[in-house]
Amino acid sequence: MPLIEKRIQNPVQIERALTRISHEILERNGGGDNVVLVGMHSRGVPLAQRISTAIERFEGIKVPVGKLDIGMYRDDISEKGSPLMKPTDIPSDINGKTVVIIDDVLYTGRSIRAAMDAISDFGRPSQMQLGVLVDRGHRELPIRADYVGKNVPTAKDEDVQVRLMEIDGADEIVITTNNNDMGDKT
Amino acid sequence: MTLETASQQSFGQKHVLDLDSFTSQDITHVLDNTLAMEQVLEREIRKVPALRGKTVVTLFYESSTRTRVSFEQAAKILSADVINVSSSGSSTKKGESLYNTALTIQAMQADIIVIRHPHSGAPHFLARQLRSKVINAGDGTHAHPTQSLLDLYTIRKNIGTIEGKKIVIIGDIMYSRVARSNLWGLTKMGARVVLCGPQTLIPNDFLNGHRTEEGHPFAAVEIQTDLDTALKDADVIMALRLQLERQKAGHLPSLREYSQTYGLNARRLAIAKDGALVMHPGPMNEGVEIETDIAHGAQSVIEEQVKSGVAVRMSLLYSMAAGQNLEI
């Protein structure tokens, strides 16, 4: 199957987007004192850590970072096979906090729905917000992101891949198109 | 989110009848997800919606506390609906056959049936006849795969890995379904297994068909009748329950002699590696196969075995419910 790959963001652009999102989080929430970042496995976790580091650089405060695996909250477990779950670690108390969910790509919105359910089982945040590096459209639920690195209009048969140093050894965002339409897209 | 679906789908079993059909990836998959399940058990709200709308039926034709309760708890924490059927309180008492009882249960749209039965092969029979997925919770002297999975999990959690470790299983090997399933599980994960017990309970030709077969996982299994020799360099010691009826059947001269020759005590424990794990699938005959101070001592992980039972079974139920290509 021939895969056509097109790079749409380089490391500098990713860095700039994350810097802007970090500022926007601080601006919107009047500082970072009440904020908890929760990164969704896999790539949301390093993204959340980078945002936390950026905020520390700007304001000198450490925003706690949690990790979330939504495997047990998906609404499609009978269709997708058994995923390998990664550790979920929600820092201490999220009651009354502003929880900012961080993920790499926002697509159908189903993962975010699952993440909101999962976070609700750990407490009652005063609000939840959503930050993503890429919004590629095609929502299937009434969900939108509060912080977006880049809006990327895509066709359904395309795939957006965010690659990060921590996991993939390099920072870039690419769009892949599968010439053969039979590909199983997620 | 970009899902790496293909690489993560590493559980390939529809039913869980014994570990002989499991690959080491299947086992590793279940053990890895058990960690995530343990985290759920530590939460304030111990409930996740993973199996919402699924029905799990436990069908027990033999008495059991540990296994049935831990299956029930596992299924409930995952939000499945659980129906418990025991032979004593059901139409089985009126002479209904296993097949007909099972058909009735299937008609109630059970997604997963957990069965324990005194006859070896009963779960396999159900798996062939029914559309539901079947978990063997112990059949006769044949297999007890979920006990083995929780034993594997307990070993891996305490000593990091199973591969290359020396595991000594002591006692009533011939009648033990736990030992049989553990033989598969441990050898598939690369452990060195030593079986130890009186010749009446490990016949000379035990496993012979497999042990002479080149490349068979049992080919490297050792059989040893002298416990002190067997225990040298052991990383894990598993004592098995001695069914008290064995003496009546003529397998043993007396319980006292058995306990002197094969009972696990402080002197014998000292022969094994420092800090070797002491395990027992329960229920224990303290003072027969294991001394009380060892059963509750610092090296014992027996209570931990029971505890991990719930998380391991959650992981297994989850993997089965999520099985993609296994839809009926």
Side-chain angles (χ1 to χ4, degrees):
Chain A
M1 280 188 296
L3 268 181
I4 301 168
E5 194 173 293
K6 197 176 107 199
R7 192 186 206 197
I8 54 168
Q9 293 257 282
N10 63 35
V12 178
Q13 290 169 306
I14 292 174
E15 180 65 31
R16 279 191 198 126
L18 288 174
T19 306
R20 177 171 49 77
I21 290 174
S22 309
H23 278 298
E24 283 173 356
I25 291 172
L26 290 168
E27 191 180 8
R28 170 103 170 250
N29 297 300
D33 288 335
N34 205 37
V35 173
V36 175
L37 299 169
V38 174
M40 289 171 62
H41 280 300
S42 302
R43 289 175 184 74
V45 174
L47 288 175
Q49 270 149 358
R50 289 194 202 180
I51 292 170
S52 174
T53 309
I55 291 177
E56 192 177 358
R57 211 166 54 231
F58 308 145
E59 306 264 306
I61 54 161
K62 253 191 141 44
V63 175
V65 177
K67 301 171 189 171
L68 184 67
D69 188 289
I70 53 156
M72 281 176 260
Y73 291 84
R74 279 161 42 178
D75 57 4
D76 56 358
I77 71 160
S78 305
E79 291 158 34
K80 292 270 171 69
S82 175
L84 198 57
M85 280 176 280
K86 304 199 176 73
T88 290
D89 174 23
I90 302 294
S92 57
D93 188 9
I94 56 163
N95 285 307
K97 294 283 170 63
T98 296
V99 171
V100 184
I101 302 168
I102 304 291
D103 201 2
D104 56 352
V105 180
L106 176 58
Y107 183 25
T108 61
R110 288 182 190 270
S111 306
I112 305 303
R113 199 264 328 142
M116 291 191 289
D117 281 352
I119 289 168
S120 303
D121 278 355
F122 286 91
R124 186 178 182 279
S126 75
Q127 49 174 314
M128 289 193 218
Q129 298 170 353
L130 172 62
V132 295
L133 199 50
V134 176
D135 182 349
R136 60 166 293 193
H138 302 290
R139 217 77 76 235
E140 292 168 4
L141 296 170
I143 282 171
R144 59 155 183 77
D146 301 272
Y147 315 102
V148 179
K150 188 174 175 58
N151 282 296
V152 182
T154 56
K156 274 204 156 185
D157 63 352
E158 291 173 324
D159 193 11
V160 177
Q161 285 183 21
V162 170
R163 293 175 189 151
L164 298 175
M165 192 60 84
E166 296 90 329
I167 294 173
D168 312 288
D171 276 0
E172 63 175 354
I173 303 175
V174 299
I175 295 188
T176 54
T177 314
N178 197 341
N179 266 359
N180 183 345
D181 265 353
M182 304 303 284
D184 170 35
K185 295 290 165 202
T186 51
Chain B
M1 199 170 74
T2 346
L3 288 173
E4 306 99 295
T5 37
S7 62
Q8 296 187 350
Q9 282 160 20
S10 43
F11 187 77
Q13 306 290 319
K14 176 179 175 182
H15 305 290
V16 177
L17 303 175
D18 194 3
L19 295 187
D20 57 354
S21 63
F22 273 57
T23 62
S24 61
Q25 278 107 327
D26 288 331
I27 295 174
T28 306
H29 186 82
V30 172
L31 302 190
D32 285 350
N33 274 348
T34 300
L35 203 66
M37 297 302 174
E38 270 190 341
Q39 289 179 332
V40 173
L41 296 176
E42 285 159 16
R43 292 187 197 172
E44 208 168 308
I45 303 173
R46 288 196 302 261
K47 194 90 165 173
V48 290
L51 262 63
R52 210 170 47 171
K54 307 261 185 218
T55 301
V56 174
V57 175
T58 67
L59 179 56
F60 275 61
Y61 285 86
E62 242 182 34
S63 53
S64 154
T65 335
R66 244 169 288 264
T67 308
R68 197 193 60 71
V69 168
S70 79
F71 264 112
E72 181 175 356
Q73 203 190 354
K76 282 181 169 166
I77 291 170
L78 294 173
S79 301
D81 294 305
V82 183
I83 300 172
N84 294 314
V85 180
S86 69
S87 57
S88 54
S90 68
S91 297
T92 310
K93 271 254 142 132
K94 302 180 187 170
E96 187 173 58
S97 71
L98 171 62
Y99 181 56
N100 284 330
T101 304
L103 280 183
T104 312
I105 289 167
Q106 178 171 267
M108 294 167 188
Q109 298 191 309
D111 296 281
I112 298 177
I113 297 178
V114 180
I115 178 174
R116 167 167 289 190
H117 201 282
H119 291 164
S120 303
H124 297 68
F125 170 74
L126 286 196
R128 277 197 306 274
Q129 304 293 335
L130 303 183
R131 290 188 306 275
S132 311
K133 298 172 182 179
V134 176
I135 299 180
N136 181 359
D139 62 330
T141 58
H142 172 237
H144 194 350
T146 60
Q147 175 71 41
S148 174
L149 286 169
L150 73 88
D151 288 346
L152 294 172
Y153 182 74
T154 309
I155 296 172
R156 203 179 75 165
K157 195 174 175 190
N158 281 281
I159 56 179
T161 173
I162 299 164
E163 199 177 342
K165 300 293 179 189
K166 179 174 176 182
I167 322 279
V168 182
I169 307 179
I170 309 166
D172 188 2
I173 309 287
M174 190 160 67
Y175 292 94
S176 171
R177 56 194 178 204
V178 175
R180 275 186 180 68
S181 283
N182 263 325
L183 259 177
W184 283 111
L186 288 166
T187 52
K188 290 209 174 192
M189 299 307 284
R192 283 173 55 205
V193 182
V194 180
L195 305 175
C196 181
Q199 273 190 0
T200 47
L201 296 176
I202 314 180
N204 268 339
D205 56 354
F206 190 72
L207 302 182
N208 258 6
H210 294 311
R211 293 207 309 153
T212 49
E213 202 178 305
E214 186 88 23
H216 192 280
F218 293 172
V221 171
E222 272 175 62
I223 292 180
Q224 177 58 257
T225 48
D226 180 55
L227 184 53
D228 288 11
T229 313
L231 286 175
K232 235 165 257 156
D233 294 322
D235 295 283
V236 177
I237 307 161
M238 284 186 188
L240 297 174
R241 176 178 168 78
L242 182 79
Q243 306 284 352
L244 302 175
E245 324 62 282
R246 299 290 171 258
Q247 192 193 341
K248 283 185 221 134
H251 293 300
L252 304 169
S254 78
L255 280 185
R256 211 157 87 110
E257 187 184 318
Y258 179 83
S259 142
Q260 275 168 4
T261 329
Y262 293 104
L264 191 57
N265 55 30
R267 181 191 69 76
R268 292 209 165 106
L269 186 54
I271 300 172
K273 268 195 194 153
D274 279 351
L277 303 181
V278 173
M279 303 176 71
H280 192 297
M284 286 184 278
N285 294 311
E286 288 179 23
V288 181
E289 69 261 9
I290 188 166
E291 289 301 322
T292 302
D293 55 334
I294 302 300
H296 302 279
Q299 285 169 253
S300 163
V301 290
I302 296 169
E303 216 171 295
E304 210 183 306
Q305 285 173 273
V306 181
K307 244 197 232 160
S308 15
V310 175
V312 167
R313 289 176 175 115
M314 284 168 73
S315 173
L316 196 63
L317 287 169
Y318 179 82
S319 292
M320 289 174 77
Q324 181 184 35
N325 307 316
L326 318 165
E327 278 307 289
I328 16 172

